[in-house]
């Protein structure tokens, strides 16, 4: 971790960073390593509108934009919004998205890129963003190429990919992680309020707690 000078997070939705890697982000920030989140969309096609409901199909994107900004402030990271439309990333030209990302990566010169593992990210936007991000990194000269940590979340990931290369226990950063998750009010509020109020639900959700506590990544091998 100490060898990295700048980390770029490339994921498609507001809240992907909070649920997926905010503990790891907080570890980098504790070491004063800059982190930039390149967020693909505003998640405007999401079905959650808050609990109780406070958004609608027309207003959801503005709420989610503000929630994303609040989460990034809580994590103390820079944010660049890429401007793609939610649930359409799989139809974008991968080369064009990769070129877009490569231009930004050329500017910020990260030593590490964190993204989704294509084919193991359980959502077409996740797979498409991960594939474009990896293609963007592949275009670097080998000596200047950032390392890639790919996040796989498919149920069969261990059977197919083996054990993850990196497993981070983020228990010491759990409060900060929860603040980032709760910043995404429209998506997390109902679930988290139930979780906080019910000891029984906390017990039932022990597997969910484990998923939040341990953040796993596979190092992408560009030689394969």
């Amino acid at each position: 971790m100490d060898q990295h000078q700048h980390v770029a997070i490339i994921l498609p939705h507001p809240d992907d960073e909070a649920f997926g890697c905010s503990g790891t982000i907080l570890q980098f920030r504790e070491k004063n390593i800059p982190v930039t989140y390149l967020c693909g969309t505003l998640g405007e096609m999401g079905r959650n509108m808050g609990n109780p409901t406070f958004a609608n199909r027309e207003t959801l994107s503005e709420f989610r934009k503000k929630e994303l900004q609040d989460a990034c402030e809580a994590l103390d990271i820079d944010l660049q919004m890429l401007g793609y439309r939610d649930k359409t990333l799989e139809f974008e030209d991968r080369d064009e998205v990769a070129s877009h990302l490569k231009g930004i990566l050329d500017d910020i010169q990260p030593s590490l890129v964190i993204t989704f593992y294509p084919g193991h990210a359980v959502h077409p936007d996740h797979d498409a963003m991960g594939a474009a991000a990896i293609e963007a990194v592949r275009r670097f000269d080998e000596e200047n190429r950032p390392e890639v940590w790919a996040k796989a979340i498919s149920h069969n990931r261990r059977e197919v990919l083996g054990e993850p290369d990196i497993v981070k226990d983020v228990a010491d950063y759990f409060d900060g992680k929860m603040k980032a998750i709760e910043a995404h009010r429209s998506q997390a509020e109902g679930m988290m309020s139930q979780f906080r109020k019910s000891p029984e639900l906390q017990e039932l959700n022990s597997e969910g707690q484990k998923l939040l506590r341990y953040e796993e990544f596979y190092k992408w091998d560009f030689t394969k």
Side-chain angles (χ1 to χ4, degrees):
M1 176 171 272
D2 289 335
Q3 75 271 26
H4 290 295
Q5 295 81 47
H6 193 146
V7 180
I9 311 292
I10 305 178
L11 301 169
H13 304 121
D15 79 10
D16 286 336
E17 85 296 342
F19 284 103
C21 56
S22 53
T24 301
I25 289 171
L26 288 164
Q27 289 181 344
F28 280 116
R29 290 303 299 131
E30 186 177 65
K31 294 178 180 296
N32 209 29
I33 296 169
V35 176
T36 301
Y37 182 22
L38 308 182
C39 185
T41 79
L42 289 177
E44 64 271 24
M45 295 303 290
R47 295 182 62 82
N48 292 329
M49 300 290 170
N51 187 357
T53 300
F54 57 81
N56 58 44
R57 180 59 62 214
E58 285 69 37
T59 62
L60 184 61
S61 61
E62 284 305 310
F63 279 110
R64 296 203 70 180
K65 180 179 180 180
K66 179 64 167 59
E67 292 166 357
L68 173 62
Q69 292 167 331
D70 289 346
C72 289
E73 185 174 341
L75 292 169
D76 188 26
I77 63 176
D78 294 327
L79 169 66
Q80 292 196 37
M81 289 176 266
L82 300 178
Y84 295 102
R85 184 167 177 78
D86 190 22
K87 292 192 175 178
T88 66
L89 270 170
E90 64 180 309
F91 306 112
E92 296 283 348
D93 184 283
R94 182 181 301 173
D95 284 340
E96 290 182 6
V97 178
S99 295
H100 182 190
L101 293 173
K102 177 67 163 50
I104 298 171
L105 295 177
D106 282 340
D107 287 339
I108 65 176
Q109 289 292 309
S111 55
L112 171 66
V113 170
I114 295 177
T115 191
F116 277 121
Y117 198 119
H120 288 276
V122 306
H123 185 297
D125 278 354
H126 295 177
D127 287 330
M129 193 88 259
I134 289 168
E135 172 59 21
V137 176
R138 189 192 62 77
R139 295 179 183 183
F140 277 80
D141 295 335
E142 190 173 349
E143 60 270 21
N144 297 317
R145 183 179 292 149
E147 190 172 312
V148 172
W149 294 359
K151 188 165 187 65
I153 53 177
S154 58
H155 289 302
N156 67 344
R157 59 190 182 278
R158 280 183 163 74
E159 296 169 34
V160 178
L161 304 175
E163 292 298 315
D165 300 300
I166 299 155
V167 179
K168 289 191 169 293
D169 181 350
V170 299
D172 290 345
Y173 303 87
F174 210 75
D175 287 346
K177 178 166 185 154
M178 295 309 292
K179 284 181 183 175
I181 290 174
E182 289 175 340
H184 295 283
R185 288 182 55 213
S186 64
Q187 308 303 299
E189 201 162 60
M191 175 183 67
M192 299 314 298
S193 63
Q194 282 188 345
F195 184 82
R196 283 192 296 270
K197 290 176 181 174
S198 169
E200 293 82 8
L201 195 60
Q202 287 188 32
E203 182 65 25
L204 287 173
N205 279 335
S206 59
E207 190 62 27
Q209 290 185 61
K210 190 188 301 181
L211 288 173
L212 290 175
R213 175 174 173 175
Y214 296 99
E215 297 180 357
E216 302 176 348
F217 308 95
Y218 292 84
K219 288 187 179 180
W220 194 264
D221 184 354
F222 284 94
T223 66
K224 291 183 179 177

